[in-house]
Amino acid sequence: MSTSTGTTTSEAGLDAALLTRVTAAVRTAGDVLRERHTPHARGVELDEIVAEIHANDDAVLDVLREPLMAARPGARWAEDELEGGALPPGEWWIVDPAEGNINHVHGMSDWAVTATLVRDNHPVLTVVHLPLTGDWYTAVAGHGARLNGAPLRVSAKSDLGAALVSTGQARPGEDERTFHRIGASVTRMLIHGLVVRVSVPATLQLIHVAAGRMDAFWQFSNVRSGLVAGALLVAEAGGTVTDTRGNPWDLTGGDFLATAPGIHAEAVSVLSPIG
């Protein structure tokens, strides 16, 4: 994944002050989501679960959107967090007010608040906040990735057979072909890797890749809000971000693969035959 747009980060205004403002906004939003969390599942019927998910989104967006738009005048807002594909040229905020919302409403801990500034379909700044632990992950294009201010570095693994890898579905109700591809990829990775995790959301898997705790993550769908934050974190932590055939990845792509560089070629060899 390339994060270069022909200008330096200072020329583009991606300075420490902007990152501080975005981090503050995301952490404030995280406080709201933490207060809404319960240790038990909320909702039994599908319509009840969907209502809880929407209520989380609305509550967080109420405190997140205004400060982000003020922090970057001229940037636009990508409205639908479940959409994929390219955006029109220019700067956009891609935000997930409750990344892992399904986990949140089921009383689990794997959820976060994310905000990513994208320029011409390349992520250039991101903040991911985990309210239950207080951790925050940040990255600015060309300036590295950090966890609570300390530098992140991907795994040094060079053998897929020793790798902990992960995948998951991007959204509920995807097409049957996608589900078959996920199943086939899990089988192939079970054969060639060490251990395979299947989990959601994508961002919570990608922060582990960026931190060197996990060695690869792949997905056969393109939901912008689930990939842009983690893609930038992994790339800035020294990882390799492509599609599953090894081609450069951006928001126009369908498949997604983020790995430690030492196992990238093997991961592509395993995943690329899956049609």
Side-chain angles (χ1 to χ4, degrees):
M1 182 191 74
S2 171
T3 56
S4 173
T5 58
T7 58
T8 67
T9 53
S10 59
E11 289 171 343
L14 301 181
D15 54 15
L18 176 61
L19 185 62
T20 297
R21 292 180 69 177
V22 176
T23 301
V26 172
R27 294 181 75 175
T28 298
D31 291 342
V32 173
L33 198 59
R34 186 180 64 247
E35 291 170 2
R36 297 182 59 82
H37 185 250
T38 62
H40 58 270
R42 308 192 305 277
V44 175
E45 302 297 333
L46 179 58
D47 58 347
E48 296 171 333
I49 295 169
V50 170
E52 291 284 354
I53 287 172
H54 288 323
N56 279 346
D57 284 343
D58 292 343
V60 176
L61 284 173
D62 281 346
V63 300
L64 188 57
R65 181 167 182 157
E66 183 176 344
L68 288 181
M69 296 300 284
R72 194 67 173 174
R76 288 172 284 179
W77 190 273
E79 293 288 348
D80 190 341
E81 69 191 59
L82 292 178
E83 282 296 313
L87 291 162
E91 290 190 344
W92 293 80
W93 285 113
I94 297 180
V95 171
D96 196 325
E99 169 72 328
N101 213 339
I102 192 68
N103 295 337
H104 186 285
V105 303
H106 282 85
M108 298 180 183
S109 60
D110 291 348
W111 47 271
V113 180
T114 77
T116 305
L117 185 67
V118 171
R119 181 183 304 116
D120 297 332
N121 289 299
H122 294 279
V124 292
L125 179 148
T126 194
V127 177
V128 176
H129 177 47
L130 280 61
L132 288 185
T133 64
D135 290 333
W136 74 98
Y137 294 77
T138 61
V140 176
H143 287 260
R146 296 180 178 273
L147 166 57
N148 302 334
L152 288 174
R153 192 69 188 171
V154 296
S155 161
K157 296 272 183 71
S158 59
D159 176 10
L160 185 61
L164 172 59
V165 301
S166 178
T167 190
Q169 66 191 90
R171 61 169 80 84
E174 295 189 78
D175 62 274
E176 187 173 344
R177 175 176 176 267
T178 298
F179 292 146
H180 283 299
R181 296 182 79 203
I182 293 171
S185 71
V186 169
T187 299
R188 287 183 62 82
M189 278 295 188
L190 285 168
I191 294 168
H192 296 280
L194 179 63
V195 172
V196 180
R197 299 180 67 194
V198 180
S199 187
V200 294
T203 303
L204 272 292
Q205 313 309 309
L206 287 164
I207 61 174
H208 292 312
V209 178
R213 306 182 198 108
M214 197 159 66
D215 306 300
F217 173 83
W218 72 95
Q219 187 170 276
F220 291 117
S221 299
N222 183 348
V223 173
R224 289 188 296 254
S225 65
L227 296 178
V228 289
L232 183 59
L233 283 163
V234 171
E236 289 298 319
T240 303
V241 179
T242 65
D243 65 16
T244 58
R245 293 164 300 284
N247 301 314
W249 179 86
D250 61 24
L251 289 182
T252 64
D255 300 351
F256 175 89
L257 173 64
T259 77
I263 65 164
H264 180 257
E266 282 188 275
V268 168
S269 177
V270 170
L271 296 172
S272 57
I274 299 171

